[in-house]
Amino acid sequence: MKKSLIALAAVAASGAAFAQSSVTVYGVVDTSIAVVKGQDTVSGMLNSGAATSRLGFRGVEDLGNGLKANFVLEGQVDPDDGTAGGFNFRRQSTVGLAGSFGEVRLGRALTASYNAVSRYDMFGTVGLGSTLAWSSAETGYANRSNNMISYISPKFSGFGVGIDYGFGEQKENRTARYAGIGATYDNGPLSLGLGYDKANNGLSVTGTEDLTTWQLGGSYDLSVVKLAAFYKETKYKEIATGDSEKLKTWNLGVSAPVGAAGVVKAAYNHYKLSDSSAKAQQFSLGYVHNLSKRTALYGTYAFLKNKDGADFALNGAFTGAGLTDSGKQQGLQVGVRHAF
Amino acid sequence: MKKSLIALAAVAASGAAFAQSSVTVYGVVDTSIAVVKGQDTVSGMLNSGAATSRLGFRGVEDLGNGLKANFVLEGQVDPDDGTAGGFNFRRQSTVGLAGSFGEVRLGRALTASYNAVSRYDMFGTVGLGSTLAWSSAETGYANRSNNMISYISPKFSGFGVGIDYGFGEQKENRTARYAGIGATYDNGPLSLGLGYDKANNGLSVTGTEDLTTWQLGGSYDLSVVKLAAFYKETKYKEIATGDSEKLKTWNLGVSAPVGAAGVVKAAYNHYKLSDSSAKAQQFSLGYVHNLSKRTALYGTYAFLKNKDGADFALNGAFTGAGLTDSGKQQGLQVGVRHAF
Amino acid sequence: MKKSLIALAAVAASGAAFAQSSVTVYGVVDTSIAVVKGQDTVSGMLNSGAATSRLGFRGVEDLGNGLKANFVLEGQVDPDDGTAGGFNFRRQSTVGLAGSFGEVRLGRALTASYNAVSRYDMFGTVGLGSTLAWSSAETGYANRSNNMISYISPKFSGFGVGIDYGFGEQKENRTARYAGIGATYDNGPLSLGLGYDKANNGLSVTGTEDLTTWQLGGSYDLSVVKLAAFYKETKYKEIATGDSEKLKTWNLGVSAPVGAAGVVKAAYNHYKLSDSSAKAQQFSLGYVHNLSKRTALYGTYAFLKNKDGADFALNGAFTGAGLTDSGKQQGLQVGVRHAF
């Protein structure tokens, strides 16, 4: 009833009057104080140490006959500077139709390949403790695609599959073209995930490479402790020359409840480049203290050691910190995560 | 009661404490898959094939004595890439006061001249099937103005008038200055609209022209079929030389319900430049299948043929497709429109 | 229950499932027509003549035991052009924890020093009538800091204190580093405020200066009339040379209710640069007519006179207007402020 006449006029020609729906406004604000030590010691404020700060709008409409329409518009927020780069909806902007057949979704979103395996990082792929396996800055891997049409299957006995195709941006449809698949199995304490995806140049660091990624992982919840592990292998193929190299990441993680409100967690990452002996090891330790289901205090410590020419840096670390002469970097982060 | 102390403090000096109001969050997510064929054949994802994707915030406050205050903040959303250019409120950002006298509105909005006539495009001025009459990219016409003060009359026996004045941006107030008027008559099955507007340079394609536009249109709803037509004539006057040319657009449209949920529609556009024999014809065919009042599936086919040097392209078509040697372009678009 | 699975998946690794909360969407749309006369006379539309136009999202969560979590994401809106520069949350983006100890808040926000004293400007630091004391354009002063950790004390017998520290952006943590304190006393008709802050280069006009500011003010409400005054002194120290100069601002203000819905107000500002005889005087007169608690019409007249080489301009005035040969500028602004 509150629909503005303007809005009605604008869409009237397309043959439909729209009823008012309920839109859910949701998000996270997560901010922390951090110290990172490499060549230099830098302290300051970092965003999103335990979950990515965001603001989103979403809704579901029941179309009858088991069919539902949904939309999500979600953008990243940088509380440290008020999102100086400008707000957008590049975390997710999709419209979908869901039914007994599963869901078909159009727009920009996380890929099924990434979703299937990234969930085994004990640090949720954010903050200083995060694995670098999917770090855009460190690996050129993109966990989202533009122009994506996705199919997400219903769950059969714990099995689910997601298939994504992202159209390219350019005339010849090659640049930034994406295709991928993710499969998951979740049954009681056991969880498994498998992903495969291929991103044509435009998503790579240099913009001149094709990236092909295999990844798999799993977790087992023993109640007193939860174990997780994943392996990711991305092949970077130089389009011009055909030369390629691989980045292989191993991750082992563990978490355990501490008292009624706390969770302690640890992870080990091993990164290795195939065409050199360059490699790095990372150890992360974290504690999350839940003040409620929506709000938590957290602390994370991470240590990274590069070898043989590798120059990885901790996820989201101050760039000014750099690495020690022996290729080391460590960081400490204490913050608050509030979801709404 | 939830008003933050910060917000209160910031406005306290202006002499008022604000009560909480109800804000309506609304919008559209419309995404489609399209193929466009000209010199090349390009397929990919296009936004807003049946209605412009958007997110908006609006509200109305009853001030008593028949007076109401209202606001609208509405911005475009590009679901294909998550609005990579950044979100803003350039679709509409206004505050208005409405009463028995009509409404006075300040800010950026669609013009009355455009609103009066654009409603006769069967394709709602969006998607591949849209008329190019008001296309900013193809004609330099701007359907919105910044810095606009608007008066919208109440309806008298179906008659209504809107008057707009948009202040210029520059010192001398000439650049981007706008003035226009739109008149409408809506009575049962008959609808008529008339618009006149003048936009000083800054709104034109080259930024060195004044645009003067006459436009009129109408529709008649015979229930089994709805007929519509409009004519638009824009004169482009080169400020430096005084030279001018005109672009004339004719449009004929028809739509008809198909079953309980479908609407089929077709339109013919004819574009002609006065200072040359350059012209183009466009034929558009569309089908909209309403899954609910808010959600629809749609398909659009459009064909465009340029003659004598004209180089129009279908509205929103992939730029990489180009035109055939004989100046043709065609496109097919299938998508989903979801309003919330 | 409406929580999307995507959002849950994204944060699941951090050890918490989030319940839905109530988010308040709020804001202001304030637009005006103005005429400014200096060297030239320029008329047009100005934003935010009585309160800064904005859109915000905020919420509070009760954590039990007297502890509360809160967040605010608030961005400026420019209704004249629909926020052409892009929407963000640079007015405020914070997460906070509040209890009997006061509140600790992380993110970008107004500083306590500014909040303590700026409230004594009768024109709310916006519009043509505003003091220039805190004008970023005229003084280089920043009333907000990025990367800020803030402590806001509870009120003791009307006394309150806020302490802010803003981390720098650069490696050495100097650029844009901020530290400040604000103290307030509010007791019945009497209100006092005191602020001190220091902003390292990056916040100054030239980016090569350190700014140190002392400011204090107060107001007394006699019911039939309210009196206010403040003094602000900012020292600009050239980092390279050590040279410094001071800008001193005196302000006297008065406001009085007129009838049931009106408020008339006036203010006098005196600006003086210490290293020259450059100075300026400003007189502002305003009337606010409240149509409701949320909506008001307002009119403001301001007159500014520069002397001995000063070149101040009215707050937010059209840049094209300039100053008369004798350094004068005056402006008139009539608008509507609507809060939601």
Side-chain angles (χ1 to χ4, degrees), chain B residues 51-312:
Chain B
T52 303
S53 298
R54 73 195 73 172
L55 176 67
F57 305 85
R58 65 166 180 259
V60 177
E61 180 193 12
D62 195 331
L63 299 169
N65 298 318
L67 197 64
K68 289 180 181 184
N70 63 59
F71 82 96
V72 183
L73 295 173
E74 182 182 304
Q76 183 175 319
V77 169
D78 297 332
D80 64 344
D81 65 5
T83 318
F87 184 61
N88 54 44
F89 303 107
R90 284 178 69 74
R91 282 185 56 82
Q92 187 173 350
S93 53
T94 55
V95 56
L97 288 174
S100 57
F101 61 87
E103 180 178 354
V104 173
R105 216 164 50 188
L106 299 172
R108 177 176 170 87
L110 289 170
T111 66
S113 172
Y114 171 80
N115 281 333
V117 184
S118 62
R119 55 187 182 152
Y120 302 115
D121 179 22
M122 282 296 176
F123 289 83
T125 75
V126 294
L128 293 178
S130 166
T131 182
L132 301 172
W134 296 284
S135 159
S136 169
E138 296 292 330
T139 75
Y141 185 85
N143 55 3
R144 292 177 174 82
S145 171
N146 289 344
N147 310 313
M148 195 162 69
I149 177 163
S150 303
Y151 168 72
I152 301 116
S153 80
K155 299 272 180 177
F156 293 113
S157 314
F159 282 100
V161 176
I163 302 172
D164 298 313
Y165 180 76
F167 289 93
E169 290 288 347
Q170 300 296 320
K171 174 183 160 185
E172 70 280 6
N173 266 346
R174 190 178 197 290
T175 300
R177 188 174 51 185
Y178 174 90
I181 184 167
T184 55
Y185 175 72
D186 295 287
N187 196 341
L190 179 65
S191 172
L192 296 171
L194 179 68
Y196 172 78
D197 60 74
K198 189 164 180 176
N200 290 129
N201 74 318
L203 291 180
S204 75
V205 171
T206 63
T208 60
E209 297 175 325
D210 286 349
L211 274 68
T212 309
T213 298
W214 273 102
Q215 49 196 353
L216 78 171
S219 67
Y220 199 88
D221 195 341
L222 296 161
S223 293
V224 291
V225 64
K226 186 179 177 181
L227 304 172
F230 69 79
Y231 174 71
K232 173 175 175 279
E233 176 181 314
T234 296
K235 181 172 145 191
Y236 303 78
K237 185 177 168 189
E238 190 72 30
I239 297 166
T241 64
D243 293 346
S244 68
E245 62 170 337
K246 286 183 181 173
L247 171 62
K248 299 174 182 179
T249 303
W250 274 101
N251 175 290
L252 293 171
V254 58
S255 75
V258 178
V263 178
V264 65
K265 52 194 183 179
Y268 169 80
N269 280 277
H270 184 272
Y271 314 103
K272 187 174 185 326
L273 282 163
S274 66
D275 67 342
S276 69
S277 52
K279 52 185 166 287
Q281 297 179 81
Q282 179 189 341
F283 176 73
S284 304
L285 184 66
Y287 176 69
V288 177
H289 187 80
N290 292 299
L291 300 175
S292 75
K293 286 192 175 182
R294 291 168 45 199
T295 305
L297 302 176
Y298 62 86
T300 301
Y301 168 79
F303 174 82
L304 179 74
K305 184 178 179 180
N306 289 284
K307 261 195 175 174
D308 302 322
D311 60 350
F312 290 97

Side-chain angles (χ1 to χ4, degrees), chain A residues 3-333:
Chain A
K3 210 76 196 172
S4 84
L5 294 179
I6 299 301
L8 277 176
V11 295
S14 52
F18 302 148
Q20 182 60 36
S21 74
S22 73
V23 176
T24 301
V25 181
Y26 68 96
V28 173
V29 182
D30 178 327
T31 312
S32 65
I33 307 294
V35 185
V36 177
K37 188 175 173 188
Q39 190 70 24
D40 288 293
T41 300
V42 178
S43 58
M45 184 166 284
L46 288 182
N47 297 314
S48 309
T52 302
S53 298
R54 73 193 77 170
L55 176 67
F57 305 85
R58 64 165 181 260
V60 177
E61 181 193 11
D62 196 330
L63 298 169
N65 298 319
L67 198 63
K68 290 182 180 184
N70 63 61
F71 82 97
V72 183
L73 295 173
E74 182 181 305
Q76 182 175 320
V77 169
D78 296 333
D80 64 345
D81 65 5
T83 319
F87 184 61
N88 54 43
F89 303 107
R90 284 178 68 74
R91 283 184 56 81
Q92 188 174 350
S93 54
T94 54
V95 55
L97 289 175
S100 57
F101 61 87
E103 182 179 353
V104 173
R105 216 165 49 189
L106 299 173
R108 179 177 169 86
L110 289 169
T111 66
S113 172
Y114 171 79
N115 281 333
V117 183
S118 62
R119 55 187 181 153
Y120 302 115
D121 179 22
M122 282 295 175
F123 289 83
T125 73
V126 295
L128 294 178
S130 165
T131 181
L132 301 172
W134 297 284
S135 160
S136 168
E138 295 293 330
T139 74
Y141 185 84
N143 54 4
R144 292 179 175 83
S145 170
N146 288 344
N147 311 313
M148 196 162 68
I149 178 163
S150 303
Y151 168 72
I152 302 114
S153 80
K155 299 272 180 179
F156 294 112
S157 314
F159 282 101
V161 176
I163 302 172
D164 298 313
Y165 180 76
F167 288 93
E169 289 287 348
Q170 302 294 322
K171 174 182 160 186
E172 68 281 6
N173 267 345
R174 190 178 197 291
T175 301
R177 189 173 50 185
Y178 175 89
I181 185 167
T184 55
Y185 175 72
D186 294 287
N187 196 341
L190 177 65
S191 171
L192 296 170
L194 178 68
Y196 172 78
D197 61 73
K198 188 162 180 177
N200 290 128
N201 73 319
L203 292 179
S204 76
V205 171
T206 64
T208 60
E209 296 176 325
D210 286 348
L211 273 68
T212 308
T213 298
W214 273 103
Q215 48 196 352
L216 76 171
S219 67
Y220 199 88
D221 194 342
L222 296 161
S223 294
V224 292
V225 64
K226 185 179 176 181
L227 305 172
F230 67 80
Y231 173 71
K232 173 175 175 282
E233 177 181 312
T234 296
K235 180 171 145 192
Y236 302 78
K237 183 177 169 190
E238 190 72 31
I239 297 166
T241 63
D243 292 348
S244 68
E245 63 170 336
K246 286 183 182 174
L247 171 62
K248 299 174 182 181
T249 303
W250 274 101
N251 175 290
L252 293 172
V254 58
S255 75
V258 178
V263 177
V264 66
K265 52 195 183 178
Y268 169 80
N269 280 277
H270 185 272
Y271 313 104
K272 187 172 183 331
L273 281 163
S274 65
D275 68 340
S276 70
S277 54
K279 52 184 165 288
Q281 297 179 81
Q282 178 189 341
F283 177 72
S284 304
L285 184 66
Y287 176 70
V288 177
H289 187 81
N290 293 299
L291 300 175
S292 75
K293 286 193 173 180
R294 292 169 43 198
T295 305
L297 302 175
Y298 61 86
T300 301
Y301 169 79
F303 174 82
L304 179 73
K305 185 176 179 181
N306 289 283
K307 262 196 176 173
D308 303 321
D311 61 350
F312 290 96
L314 291 171
N315 182 55
F318 305 106
T319 52
L323 302 173
T324 66
D325 290 344
S326 56
K328 292 177 190 169
Q329 191 181 62
Q330 54 186 322
L332 182 65
Q333 180 170 33

Side-chain angles (χ1 to χ4, degrees), chain C residues 206-210 235-245:
Chain C
T206 63
T208 60
E209 297 175 326
D210 285 350
K235 180 172 145 191
Y236 302 79
K237 184 176 167 190
E238 190 72 31
I239 298 166
T241 64
D243 293 347
S244 68
E245 63 171 337

